[in-house]
Amino acid sequence: MAQGSRSATVPAAASFFALVAVAPLLLCCAPAAAELARLEHPAKDGGSLSLLVVGDWGRKGTFNQSRVAHQMGRVGEQLSIDFVISTGDNFYENGLTGTDDEAFEQSFTDIYTAKSLQKPWYLVLGNHDYRGDALAQLSPVLRKIDSRFICIKSFVVNAEIVEFFFVDTTPFQLKYWTHPKDDHYDWRGVAPRENYINNLLKDLDGAMKTSTAAWKVAVGHHTMRSVSDHGDTKELLQLLLPVLQANGVDFYINGHDHCLEHISSRDSPIQYFTSGGGSKAWRGVQNPTEDDLKFFYDGQGFMSLQLDRSQAKFTFYDVDGKALYSYTRSSLMETGHHLQASGYVNEE
């Protein structure tokens, strides 16, 4: 499709602990920096990749989390998935209290038990995760409990035909800093905000510019475009979107809004996918915008993504595992088209 650190190969879940144990510690120890860790996850021998995406899920099995997990296991087996992506809000309501919080196993290990889900889980933090001990989710202690769990604030997963750029979006939202109400946010390793965001944007821009993958996918917790409760996130549109556009990113995947939706960009080839239906959903919340809304479902569910070098296919599923909607896109790189760069924009 579009044009186009550190590196290690990740062949199986058992190999992850040694690979990523150091990266979160480096991130935590550099308050003003957002250095990107880079993980390698080879595609299948035939050059294809399959994965599931779920967000906003950690409720100890309640609000149909267990039902969604069951169907994820079924679809994961059918597609022979390589890994799972979590779009954040991994533990409600206020993240984890520490690495010894039983909610980790009650909401993750004990819920996603299907054989097909015993694969790497690549996770970003959501705003609810930041309300607890955010550093706990980055700790290698959790990977000793369950080696699938790979959570880093911002990082890159290179899967040969595609590169995933995981972005820590919570610090972008100014209201969490200026008007937190009764909530406490764990800004260790993040404050001061402007330095953190500037460094992160520069690191993302650099990593994206060097990518030669057929597909570039950005993953964050917060919505870029949405017709549900939270709507568009203006800080991401102002600060992050120009970097994605300048580097030919194909898709932005997020959670935050508790629904499933696909929006087509008004001003670039970027497609926006929300997969935030992992447990509690927001029925009846839809606020029409000028965006090109392709699909919206205000219930629980998850998403699959199947890729090869020439094609990407997204499918949304509901809590019963019924396929609700599919979208297929051919690679612009393979068809000889190129995206026009719009230039890098600093926070100021």
Side-chain angles (χ1 to χ4, degrees):
M1 159 82 63
Q3 59 201 8
S5 100
R6 298 166 305 204
S7 176
T9 301
V10 185
S15 304
F16 297 160
F17 175 70
L19 170 66
V20 296
V22 178
L25 298 178
L26 292 175
L27 292 170
C28 297
C29 295
E35 182 182 355
L36 298 185
R38 182 178 177 87
L39 310 180
E40 304 289 333
H41 192 125
K44 293 182 175 72
D45 290 341
S48 65
L49 194 76
S50 300
L51 58 122
L52 300 181
V53 182
V54 65
D56 304 85
W57 42 268
R59 298 183 186 272
K60 302 179 181 179
T62 63
F63 292 98
N64 283 337
Q65 182 193 1
S66 294
R67 288 182 61 190
V68 173
H70 175 74
Q71 296 301 331
M72 287 175 62
R74 185 181 63 82
V75 174
E77 182 177 1
Q78 292 175 351
L79 300 182
S80 186
I81 62 167
D82 298 280
F83 55 84
V84 179
I85 286 176
S86 169
T87 56
D89 277 359
N90 308 318
F91 302 98
Y92 284 97
E93 287 287 329
N94 297 306
L96 296 178
T97 59
T99 56
D100 58 351
D101 192 336
E102 293 180 355
F104 176 72
E105 292 173 276
Q106 293 169 346
S107 290
F108 180 64
T109 303
D110 297 342
I111 302 299
Y112 301 102
T113 57
K115 182 178 180 181
S116 67
L117 304 181
Q118 306 308 304
K119 299 291 176 67
W121 282 58
Y122 299 115
L123 308 95
V124 291
L125 297 174
N127 53 298
H128 282 269
D129 299 311
Y130 263 101
R131 293 178 188 175
D133 182 348
L135 301 188
Q137 293 193 48
L138 313 180
S139 173
V141 173
L142 293 188
R143 283 187 293 279
K144 289 183 179 179
I145 299 172
D146 193 323
S147 63
R148 296 177 294 171
F149 195 89
I150 303 172
C151 185
I152 306 173
K153 283 185 176 177
S154 295
F155 61 109
V156 180
V157 173
N158 175 25
E160 299 179 328
I161 59 172
V162 55
E163 284 200 329
F164 294 90
F165 301 89
F166 291 79
V167 186
D168 183 23
T169 60
T170 300
F172 283 80
Q173 285 228 300
L174 189 60
K175 68 179 182 180
Y176 298 146
W177 298 80
T178 59
H179 297 86
K181 299 181 180 179
D182 296 328
D183 298 317
H184 167 76
Y185 290 87
D186 184 2
W187 296 131
R188 290 176 295 167
V190 177
R193 173 179 176 268
E194 289 186 5
N195 288 355
Y196 182 82
I197 291 175
N198 278 333
N199 286 331
L200 174 53
L201 292 175
K202 290 175 183 177
D203 287 343
L204 283 168
D205 185 57
M208 290 175 177
K209 274 184 167 53
T210 61
S211 174
T212 58
W215 302 98
K216 296 180 187 178
V217 182
V219 180
H221 175 65
H222 290 79
T223 56
M224 191 88 72
R225 302 282 189 191
S226 176
V227 301
S228 191
D229 186 62
H230 290 301
D232 296 354
T233 303
K234 65 179 182 179
E235 293 93 341
L236 295 186
L237 295 176
Q238 293 169 354
L239 302 174
L240 179 59
L241 180 58
V243 177
L244 306 190
Q245 292 175 323
N247 291 289
V249 168
D250 302 293
F251 311 113
Y252 177 74
I253 298 173
N254 60 271
H256 199 42
D257 269 338
H258 296 189
C259 62
L260 307 173
E261 64 181 329
H262 171 208
I263 291 175
S264 185
S265 176
R266 295 188 300 249
D267 49 14
S268 78
I270 297 176
Q271 304 293 309
Y272 303 99
F273 293 90
T274 296
S275 182
S279 58
K280 187 177 183 180
W282 292 333
R283 286 289 192 183
V285 180
Q286 183 177 358
N287 304 301
T289 68
E290 296 179 356
D291 289 311
D292 184 6
L293 180 65
K294 299 294 188 181
F295 172 77
F296 178 78
Y297 177 66
D298 58 352
Q300 295 142 335
F302 59 99
M303 184 177 79
S304 68
L305 173 55
Q306 300 167 268
L307 304 107
D308 58 27
R309 182 166 293 277
S310 61
Q311 195 172 83
K313 180 180 180 181
F314 294 79
T315 303
F316 285 114
Y317 304 85
D318 67 10
V319 69
D320 296 315
K322 177 183 177 182
L324 302 173
Y325 169 84
S326 289
Y327 169 81
T328 301
R329 178 161 163 178
S330 297
S331 168
L332 295 183
M333 178 178 284
E334 289 298 301
T335 56
H337 297 290
H338 299 281
L339 301 184
Q340 180 66 39
S342 60
Y344 177 67
V345 179
N346 290 320
E347 183 176 20
E348 290 79 17

